[in-house]
Amino acid sequence: MSAQPDRAARLQLVLDRDGPSCVWCGRVFTPLVRPTTEHVVPRVKGGPSWLENEVAACGRCNGERGHRTPVEWLEECRRRGWPADARRLERTLSALGEAIARTGGQRRARPYLDAQLRRLRRLGAAA
């Protein structure tokens, strides 16, 4: 895979791709609600720092997700009444799967990614 942009550039690219709101709580980013990039497949699970593995999340959601899987956090956000964006999550997970298929590697991330996509699709959350 070609060289990835630095963190600030990746954040801007993610915002350009997905829009100016948190994938989890739906809050629009402002000077008081600052965007961060969040790895959908966490680094500890083998997730790469690629655009295909990042979504824009507010600092609150990024911090509160902790070690929960993306689908667990999606469900928690919905329990809280937040409009978590399952379609954006599925697009990101699918794009990461395609990037891994193209470039190879990422052996640790593949099973985690596949399990999250299956679970998300079973929920029908992205329909």
Side-chain angles (χ1 to χ4, degrees):
M1 177 161 247
S2 61
Q4 290 285 313
D6 66 23
R7 178 180 275 199
R10 284 197 322 264
L11 175 58
Q12 188 58 55
L13 289 167
V14 168
L15 292 170
D16 291 345
R17 179 189 70 201
D18 295 338
S21 64
C22 178
V23 66
W24 305 117
C25 69
R27 292 189 301 172
V28 174
F29 299 122
T30 68
L32 296 176
V33 179
R34 298 189 53 156
T36 64
T37 56
E38 180 174 39
H39 292 87
V40 177
V41 175
R43 301 290 311 262
V44 299
K45 296 292 185 182
S49 286
W50 297 350
L51 282 172
E52 296 89 353
N53 189 35
E54 294 178 339
V55 292
C58 69
R60 176 188 70 185
C61 288
N62 197 340
E64 284 189 34
R65 178 179 161 201
H67 293 290
R68 288 179 261 208
T69 69
V71 177
E72 287 171 342
W73 185 237
L74 176 87
E75 292 174 314
E76 173 60 25
C77 291
R78 289 183 167 175
R79 275 191 288 279
R80 294 178 184 197
W82 299 345
D85 192 340
R87 285 194 172 124
R88 193 181 339 169
L89 179 59
E90 183 177 19
R91 271 195 321 267
T92 303
L93 290 169
S94 295
L96 177 58
E98 291 166 10
I100 290 172
R102 270 193 319 272
T103 61
Q106 308 305 316
R107 285 193 325 246
R108 287 181 48 221
R110 287 180 195 174
Y112 183 93
L113 170 66
D114 292 342
Q116 289 303 293
L117 271 168
R118 277 193 311 274
R119 188 168 173 202
L120 184 61
R121 290 176 179 150
R122 256 196 321 265
L123 287 174

